[in-house]
Structures are given as structure tokens and as C-alpha cells.
Amino acid sequence: MTRVQRTRSWLRSPALWLVSLWILWIPVPLGSNRPWAEAILVAMANLALFVWLIETQLQRQPIAALRESKILRWLCVWLTWTGLQIVPMPLSWLEVISPFAAHTWEIAGKTDFGTISIDPYRSASRWWLTEAFVTIVWVVLESGQSSHVRRWLLGCLALSASLQAFGGSLMLLAGESLVWFGETLSTGARASGTYPSPDHFAGLMILGGAASFGMLVTGPRIAWGSRPVIWVRNAIDWLLSPKATVRVMLGVIVIGVVLSRSRLGVTAFFSALVITAVLLLVVARLRQHKGSWRLVALLVSILVFDIWVVSNWFGLEKVVERLEQTQLQEDARAEVLPAYPPAIERYFWVGSGLGTFEFSFPPFRPAHVGGAFRHAHNDYAQFAIETGLIGCLILMGIVITTTRRTWRLLVDSHSKSAKAVAVAWFYALAGLALHSVGDFNLQIPANAGLFMILIGLANACHLRSNRPEARSFAHSATDG
């Protein structure tokens, strides 16, 4: 099968187009952080799975992920655990498993049955969202065994973020507000795209920057040549290549994250960039790779050129000023930090139920801190309170499994598309790990969903497909 035939083969997959549309769509309706937007997200994910299952039956293809994917098993365990939190059980059992949840149901007048979740309706809503994420990972695991599909989906993620960055920056520079799905998005002094919060918009920029940086670092290299004529010709070829497009998208994303004025978001974005670059240099040294100078040149071009341009034209100094003026003792997020440990201790083993932080945290909130806390401004604390030690161990298993696999891709793989996915994973993991200390990106459906796309891609590289076209892609030369 020729390259053109293979390309046409995966382009004809309706399931792949649905996944691509899902990636582009979910940030658009307010980050999908509304009940109706969540319902659309869930419906699209399940439709993609349904269409893919029909494709496999019509083409008589095996389902590799169910047999071979360890990450899919981990995700099913997570789905099972969050489902058990909403299963009714006798209060006598509940008093042993979660005494405070049993006490809560007794106060509510229930004397026979109760659930681990103190709000099973909210937890059920979040469970369906989790089911959609597991579903989309399954589809990505099966379709992402092709190197072309991996690059395509990374490109969709980068495009989704860059479009948001372009639109958000344009709105801010124009000083215009936007009525979007019935809500007014006021730009003020910070870009937010179609997100209500600039901080979560910055989280999207981290994910888009990860995809762009991964494709840029591992893209095909150009031999510039020594003669001026050859140099000019190759320079024109580079400007017309997909790599130049990716470089432009990364530049737009850098502008977007700076204009978000998110202190932690900007810090996490550039810290993740440096951390990932250092990791790549270490890998190049381990493999005794002679082309590490190209990575250094790329990193310098991003850190120097982009920051210089952005600082002069888009006001990076305003982010620095916000950082310098930050007073932790006046920040409500910092003031509630001492209240998290007692809440975690109360729901230590099994949690209060996925999505119930809004109801489980108020008894611990300091009296002098006003406002409503629907989410903890710390993803680690929120997952610990809502899912307990059991849930946190499952999440650790998901992250560790994916990280181990991507490390092997960096060190051993000869596929450039697999390396691009590995670089994107480490970038996104570092960025969101830092950003999650003071925000809740993983509670925003769009950001969590796009992070799940990276999990699916990172693990898809290890699956062995029995399809002829997928095998020829997976074992192709280094142009993959």
C-alpha cells in the first residue's frame, strides 16, 4: 500500500473526523463547563465510539486496545471506583466505609440506604463526563496506532489552542466584550478566548503549546546547505512546510498565554518549556545524539525571540508586575490552604464523591474567607477530598503508566510521531502539574478532555495493530 493510499485510508475514517471535531469543539462553549455543554461533549464522545465500532465490524478489524492496553484497564478501574461512589448501600455498611457520609444521610432523614457520595446526583453527572473521557481515549488508542493519525490529532490540539489564542488576543486588543452562548465574556485587561476564566484559558495554552512544541522538536530537519542559492531554496521550502505553520501556531499560543496575565499559567508555561527541553538534552546525551545543538537553537529562539517580541508588543512586563505585587496573605486561595488537610482527613479513604467539593468543603472553610468555593484552587486537594486515597492511587497509576511508556518512546523509539507525542506529554504534564497547585484546570471539561487525548496518544504508540496499513505505519522508517 502506497503512502497516498494509506493517507486516504485514515482520512476516510468518520470516527477520526468526529474525534478531530471533538478536540476543536470542546473549548468553544465556555470550556464545556456548563451542564448543556457537558451533555454535548458526552454525546459526541459516545457517537465517535459508536461510529468506530461500526467501522471495525464492517472492515473486520480486531479491537487491540481491549486486549493490550494497560492504560485502558486503569481508566476502567477509575470509572468503576467513581461509579461505586454513587451505588446505594445499607447505612450499616456505609458507617464502616464512610462514617461521615452515613451521618450526612441520617441527618437528611435516610434510615435505610445511602451512598459514599454526599451528592449522588452531582457525582452521577461527573461520572458521565468521566465515561466520555474514557470513551474518547479508547477511540484514540485504536486510531492512534498510525503515525499520520498521531500527527493529525496533535495538530488538531495545537490548532484548537491557537484559534482560541488568536480570538482571545484579538478581543483583548480590540477592547470588545463578547456575548457567547448567552453569557457576556468581558475581556477587561486579560485574554480568555471563549473561556469565562483567563486562568483556565492559560491552561489550554499549556496543552496547545505542548502539542506544538512536540511537533516542532521532532519534525523533519532541513539541510540548509553551504551555497547561498541552496540556502535560499531550502529556506523557502521551510516557510512552505508544515513545520513553519506549527512554529507560527506556537508563537500565537505564546502571545495568548501572556495576554491571559495568568501569573501561575505563564510561569507554568515557560517552566514546562524549559523542563522539557532539559529532559530532551539529557535523552540526547544518553543516546549520544549529535544533533542536540538544534534543540538548543530552537529553545533559544523561543525563549529569546518570542519573549522579546511579546514583551515589547504584548506586555509581558504586566505579568511580571502582577507576580511582584502578589501578596499570599491577601489571596483567598492561599488563605484556605490550611483548611484542606482537615477536609482530606475526614474523607481520607473513599472521598466525598466526585464533583461534591462544593458541599464537602464549607464546614472547613475559614470564617473570614468570603465567596463560594465550587472548586478547590488546587487539583490535588480536590481529587483527594472527592475520591479519597483509593481514587488518588488510581490516578497515580494512570499518570505513572503513561509517563513510563513515554519515557521509553523518548529513549528507544525511532518514530518521530511517537517522539512528538512523548515530548507533548512531558510538556503538558509538567505545565499542568505546576498550574494545578493554584488552580483547577482538570475540573474544566475542555482542559481535562484535551489532556485525556494526550494520554490516549501516548499509550497508542505501544499498541500493536493487526491491520496491514497500521502495521506498515507503525514500523515505518524514521519519517513516522
Side-chain angles (χ1 to χ4, degrees), residues 77-87 123 127 130 354 387:
V77 171
W78 170 254
L79 193 63
T80 302
W81 171 243
T82 53
L84 286 174
Q85 289 185 315
I86 57 176
V87 173
S123 295
W127 185 89
T130 305
L354 198 63
T387 65

Side-chain angles (χ1 to χ4, degrees), residues 114-149:
T115 60
I116 293 173
S117 172
I118 60 176
D119 186 350
Y121 300 103
R122 178 69 61 86
S123 295
S125 173
R126 302 301 287 186
W127 185 89
W128 278 108
L129 195 61
T130 305
E131 183 271 342
F133 293 155
V134 175
T135 295
I136 209 72
V137 168
W138 186 3
V139 178
V140 172
L141 282 170
E142 296 288 355
S143 59
Q145 297 163 40
S146 159
S147 60
H148 282 256
V149 172

Side-chain angles (χ1 to χ4, degrees), residues 164-238:
Q164 287 283 329
F166 180 78
S169 303
L170 198 63
M171 287 171 54
L172 177 64
L173 297 175
E176 297 291 336
S177 297
L178 175 68
V179 178
W180 195 247
F181 291 100
E183 298 188 24
T184 302
L185 302 179
S186 179
T187 56
R190 303 173 65 186
S192 63
T194 59
Y195 281 63
S197 168
D199 295 316
H200 303 142
F201 170 77
L204 174 65
M205 297 301 103
I206 292 173
L207 292 165
S212 302
F213 188 66
M215 290 189 293
L216 202 58
V217 169
T218 60
R221 298 190 180 103
I222 296 177
W224 293 98
S226 56
R227 296 169 55 188
V229 174
I230 297 177
W231 194 95
V232 172
R233 184 190 66 188
N234 289 339
I236 294 174
D237 289 340
W238 185 87

